[in-house]
């Protein structure tokens, strides 16, 4: 038997594993999924400040949503433009070929995502005015259940056992916090109205996530995926128009009357939406909607902690235990790092 070629001898002697193109592609995809996971964690932290900024704003509920989206449009436009330029470099158009930014189907689904998101903002901001910060955050995050069920039935994203365990841990933690928060709210009927609005917000946010996931997926049945920047731009523009129309029709105060109110809506636009929702939209192209919705429960911990520091809403021991369970669920949900084959 002849010896191996000189170029391969050292590798063979050391027992090195030569990766096939398929294995290299798998590792690259796994790396992208891990990046998307950590992007969602950062998104949850940013979105966790939403309720705090809303509390500090001095305009109407729908107007808060409008300004949030307006201040987020600048970074979103930059993202969409950079995304299109990168696409042009990867796949240059033939001379004379018109540039197609999106199909009619993609435009329709992205606009539907925007309508769902605008309705979510209005319902959540109205609900937050009639209940505690903890209650509002916890009930609104029941979107996890809706996303899991519809994502399974409509998108064919069957949840894994690990994800179901993460869901049990996370929802178990939210139940503990809800039970304590509900007991702290005076039983005058006002909080029930706020809770119902937050439930409606949860349903609307689930619709936003599923529509975004649908337009961000690629495959033979629905063509190339639409980039996260373009999806965010279309959805944010649609949601801004929705919120503005609602605010005008409801006769809300539209313009912030103080520096605090202005900084609050700017923070909502740049931190909660441009960064938080932008990272979520990016991740929806790589991860299941159900997994992302579980990780986003981390925003509950952030929001309730900030409410305790700023508004004196000190969490009880039960709330702390519930928060720990939420974090445990996030750890379980984390996608693992596959080994080379």
């Amino acid at each position: 038997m002849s010896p191996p070629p000189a170029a391969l001898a050292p590798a063979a002697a050391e027992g090195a594993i030569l990766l096939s193109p398929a294995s290299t592609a798998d590792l690259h995809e796994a790396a992208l999924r891990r990046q998307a996971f950590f992007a969602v964690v950062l998104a949850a932290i940013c979105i966790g400040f939403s309720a705090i900024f809303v509390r500090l704003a001095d305009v109407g509920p729908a107007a808060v949503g409008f300004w949030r989206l307006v201040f987020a449009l600048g970074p979103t436009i930059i993202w969409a433009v950079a995304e299109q330029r990168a696409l042009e470099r990867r796949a240059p158009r033939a001379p004379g070929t018109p540039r197609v930014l999106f199909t009619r189907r993609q435009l329709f689904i992205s606009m539907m995502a925007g309508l769902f998101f605008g309705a979510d903002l209005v319902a959540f901001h109205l609900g937050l005015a009639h209940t505690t910060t903890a209650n509002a955050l916890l009930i609104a995050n029941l979107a996890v259940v809706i996303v899991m069920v519809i994502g399974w039935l409509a998108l064919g994203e069957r949840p894994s056992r690990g994800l179901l365990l993460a869901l049990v841990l996370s929802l178990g933690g939210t139940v503990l916090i809800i039970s304590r928060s509900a007991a702290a709210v005076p039983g005058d009927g006002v909080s029930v109205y706020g809770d119902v609005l937050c439930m409606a917000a949860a349903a609307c946010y689930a619709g936003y996530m599923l529509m975004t996931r649908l337009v961000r997926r690629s495959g033979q049945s629905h063509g190339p995926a639409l980039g996260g920047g373009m999806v965010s731009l279309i959805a944010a523009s649609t949601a801004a128009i929705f919120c503005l129309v609602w605010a005008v029709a409801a006769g809300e105060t539209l313009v912030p009357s103080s520096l605090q109110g202005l900084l609050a809506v700017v923070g909502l636009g740049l931190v909660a939406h441009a960064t938080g929702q932008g990272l979520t939209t990016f991740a929806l192209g790589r991860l299941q909607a159900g997994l992302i919705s579980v990780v986003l429960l981390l925003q509950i911990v952030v929001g309730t902690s900030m409410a305790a520091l700023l508004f004196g809403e000190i969490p009880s021991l039960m709330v702390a235990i519930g928060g720990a369970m939420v974090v445990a669920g996030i750890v379980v949900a984390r996608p693992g790092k596959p080994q080379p084959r």
Side-chain angles (χ1 to χ4, degrees), residues 232-319:
S232 293
L233 180 58
I234 297 172
S237 301
T238 304
I241 295 172
F242 177 90
C243 290
L244 179 60
V245 171
W246 187 294
V248 172
E252 295 182 2
T253 301
L254 295 177
V255 181
S257 58
S258 66
L259 178 60
Q260 172 184 297
L262 177 61
L263 292 177
V265 293
V266 171
L268 273 169
L270 298 182
V271 178
H273 193 87
T275 304
Q277 295 299 334
L279 289 172
T280 301
T281 302
F282 161 76
L284 281 166
R286 294 291 176 184
L287 301 175
Q288 290 185 1
L291 186 150
I292 290 176
S293 61
V294 171
V295 177
L296 286 178
L297 288 173
L298 178 61
Q299 66 183 278
I300 298 173
V301 179
V302 176
T304 53
S305 299
M306 294 302 299
L309 292 174
L310 297 176
F311 309 130
E313 297 180 10
I314 307 299
S316 65
L317 177 60
M318 186 177 296
V319 171

Side-chain angles (χ1 to χ4, degrees), residues 53-54 57-69 125 252 265 268:
F53 287 133
V54 173
D58 53 10
V59 293
V64 170
F66 168 73
W67 288 115
R68 163 182 178 157
L69 294 161
H125 295 166
E252 295 182 2
V265 293
L268 273 169

Side-chain angles (χ1 to χ4, degrees), residues 58-339:
D58 53 10
V59 293
V64 170
F66 168 73
W67 288 115
R68 163 182 178 157
L69 294 161
V70 165
F71 284 112
L73 281 179
T76 306
I77 291 173
I78 294 174
W79 178 17
V81 171
E83 186 177 73
Q84 289 300 313
R85 289 180 176 176
L87 180 61
E88 285 288 326
R89 289 194 296 269
R90 291 196 302 268
R93 289 176 294 146
T97 304
R99 176 184 299 178
V100 179
L101 298 178
F102 43 76
T103 65
R104 291 182 180 179
R105 176 182 179 275
Q106 290 172 334
L107 176 62
F108 174 76
I109 296 176
S110 299
M111 291 180 68
M112 286 298 299
L115 289 176
F116 274 120
F117 189 73
D120 162 60
L121 291 180
V122 173
F124 179 72
H125 295 166
L126 282 170
L128 188 59
H130 296 280
T131 189
T132 63
T133 301
N135 250 28
L137 288 171
L138 293 164
I139 296 174
N141 275 276
L142 291 178
V144 171
V145 179
I146 303 172
V147 167
M148 288 286 291
V149 174
I150 299 180
W152 183 358
L153 298 178
L155 303 182
E157 296 180 343
R158 184 181 181 89
S160 64
R161 291 182 180 179
L163 187 56
L164 289 176
L165 175 60
L167 182 64
V168 170
L169 285 172
S170 299
L171 290 182
T174 61
V175 167
L176 287 179
I177 304 175
I178 287 174
S179 63
R180 183 65 184 87
S181 299
V185 176
D188 55 5
V190 177
S191 63
V192 173
Y193 173 67
D195 290 348
V196 170
L197 286 171
C198 290
M199 290 179 186
C204 291
Y205 191 72
Y208 160 74
M209 288 194 67
L210 291 168
M211 289 294 102
T212 303
R213 174 60 178 162
L214 183 62
V215 78
R216 291 281 287 123
R217 294 200 310 176
S218 60
Q220 294 181 351
S221 60
H222 30 67
L226 186 60
M230 186 58 67
V231 175
S232 293
L233 180 58
I234 297 172
S237 301
T238 304
I241 295 172
F242 177 90
C243 290
L244 179 60
V245 171
W246 187 294
V248 172
E252 295 182 2
T253 301
L254 295 177
V255 181
S257 58
S258 66
L259 178 60
Q260 172 184 297
L262 177 61
L263 292 177
V265 293
V266 171
L268 273 169
L270 298 182
V271 178
H273 193 87
T275 304
Q277 295 299 334
L279 289 172
T280 301
T281 302
F282 161 76
L284 281 166
R286 294 291 176 184
L287 301 175
Q288 290 185 1
L291 186 150
I292 290 176
S293 61
V294 171
V295 177
L296 286 178
L297 288 173
L298 178 61
Q299 66 183 278
I300 298 173
V301 179
V302 176
T304 53
S305 299
M306 294 302 299
L309 292 174
L310 297 176
F311 309 130
E313 297 180 10
I314 307 299
S316 65
L317 177 60
M318 186 177 296
V319 171
I321 294 174
M325 292 178 66
V326 170
V327 174
I330 294 172
V331 173
V332 173
R334 182 183 183 277
K337 181 178 181 179
Q339 300 299 320

